[in-house]
Amino acid sequence: MLRHSFTRCARLPRASRVLDLVASLSTTTAQKAAANRAVIFTDAGNPAEVLRVQSYDPPSSPLADSVKVRFRLSPINPSDINVVQGVYPATPMKMQFGGDEANVGGNEGLAEVLEVGSAVKGLKRGDWVISAKPQVGTWSSLRTLRAEDVIKLPAESLSEVNPPTAYNMLHEFVQLKEGDWVLQNGANSAVGQAVIQIAARKGIKTINFVRNRPDIDHLMSQLVQLGATHVFTYDALSDKSLAKHVKQWTSDNPIRLMLNCVSGPDTTAMTRLLGDNAHIVSYGAMSKKPLSLPTSLFIFKNLCAQGFWQSRWYQQHSRQEREDLMKTLADFKLKEPEHEILDLSAEPSDEAATQRLRHVLLKMEQGFGKKVLLRLG
Ligand SMILES: NC(=O)c1ccc[n+]([C@@H]2O[C@H](COP(=O)([O-])OP(=O)(O)OC[C@H]3O[C@@H](n4cnc5c(N)ncnc54)[C@H](OP(=O)(O)O)[C@@H]3O)[C@@H](O)[C@H]2O)c1
């Protein structure tokens, strides 16, 4: 008997968080004149020690090819933490603060267009955009960005955690059809939750792995409500009956896609569940361990191991293709992962804002369990 497994038993709940978010944004806009702050660091290190909040002068009007935007919500993602630690292969944005240069954190963020350069086409004041360019320093408020580096969001899709990574991984590697199966780890991550939902909408079944925890049943039932077909903890991988069960479930349709954001020994064990000609697509390495794959899987099962990086996808696709993707995603009306907004715009001083930020970063280090979204102005 497999322990810690849940199967689908409920329909997907309606998403209301996105609307809540839009409402909370408009209220805040109306309520107060916004501050202009950024979360910066000079040297790489422990985020709770090196990150600080710094006010800065607002930029002047945008050049002809640029837009002035205000970032309204910017997530603190695992890769952002790695950039601050100096262990992620990306160079953070540099800005001048009172004559000194510092790095500005943040790779993703939802921004409102405030002013448009004279030669910019297709964007207007009031549009909502995200950055197509990596590492623009989204942990900031007022900024000017080149218009070609932003993607306009359809009004109905306002979302702070964008799911393109999940969508693209489900479409770019294996031609999946209704009834097919996908295996994934880190299933409760923001990306993992989007994978579950998009797959469920398309009739694709998912086998999901998460880490064990005291309230594991609660997490499992949440993922099942999102549309997960099965949810397991990694402990189930040592149960010999798991492979047998998976084989029974997938006998007509062996698993051909596995999404990996963890790596390490548990991920290696998961590959035993794959069918012939499967693709394992790695997009993160949360365990900070290497991915080791049995040679036999390549020889006898024709396994293909690949990587995916959404930033590369943006670089390789046109503005039209990026905007089309956002429209497609808007139509899914995905439920947002649990999140908390850390509003530092109203803190009385940069020191007070820094203290609050560091307190939250310490909580995140210990496993906060919710996505933290920064609001700096
Ligand atoms: N390649 C790309 O284009 C791309 C795009 C977006 C994100 N990513 C990557 O995708 C991953 C998830 O990002 P996200 O923003 O969705 O993350 P998130 O919502 O912050 O969730 C982090 C996930 O990592 C898990 N985790 C943390 N430490 C772990 C460990 N030592 N062993 C196993 N699992 C661990 C967490 O599980 P617990 O709840 O058990 O802590 C949680 O499921 C990250 O690695 C990120 O860099 C890649």
Side-chain angles (χ1 to χ4, degrees), residues 180-256:
D180 282 347
W181 291 81
V182 172
L183 183 63
Q184 71 162 338
N185 56 24
N188 61 326
S189 66
V191 176
Q193 292 187 39
V195 165
I196 290 172
Q197 295 179 73
I198 295 168
R201 304 293 171 84
K202 297 175 85 83
I204 295 162
K205 298 171 184 174
T206 54
I207 300 180
N208 301 277
F209 282 85
V210 295
R211 286 200 287 189
N212 208 345
R213 67 201 68 219
D215 60 346
I216 187 67
D217 288 351
H218 176 65
L219 173 62
M220 286 177 157
S221 77
Q222 272 183 336
L223 297 184
V224 167
Q225 277 176 20
L226 286 182
T229 316
H230 300 282
V231 186
F232 298 100
T233 68
Y234 300 108
D235 308 336
L237 288 163
S238 54
D239 185 331
K240 290 220 165 46
S241 67
L242 176 67
K244 213 171 69 197
H245 283 283
V246 170
K247 215 168 187 165
Q248 279 165 2
W249 299 327
T250 62
S251 57
D252 294 338
N253 258 332
I255 304 171
R256 285 184 299 134

Side-chain angles (χ1 to χ4, degrees), residues 254-321:
I255 304 171
R256 285 184 299 134
L257 180 63
M258 170 171 159
L259 305 178
N260 164 41
C261 72
V262 176
S263 291
D266 288 334
T267 304
T268 306
M270 285 173 67
T271 59
R272 287 202 314 266
L273 308 176
L274 292 172
D276 284 353
N277 304 312
H279 292 239
I280 168 166
V281 177
S282 295
Y283 66 102
M286 291 305 301
S287 70
K288 297 195 170 72
K289 290 183 183 142
L291 173 61
S292 159
L293 296 169
T295 312
S296 58
L297 286 184
F298 290 101
I299 300 173
F300 301 115
K301 289 188 140 188
N302 199 27
L303 176 73
C304 178
Q306 290 154 290
F308 179 78
W309 194 30
Q310 184 56 38
S311 302
R312 188 170 51 230
W313 190 95
Y314 284 142
Q315 279 159 18
Q316 293 172 344
H317 289 75
S318 67
R319 182 169 181 178
Q320 189 57 52
E321 286 169 320

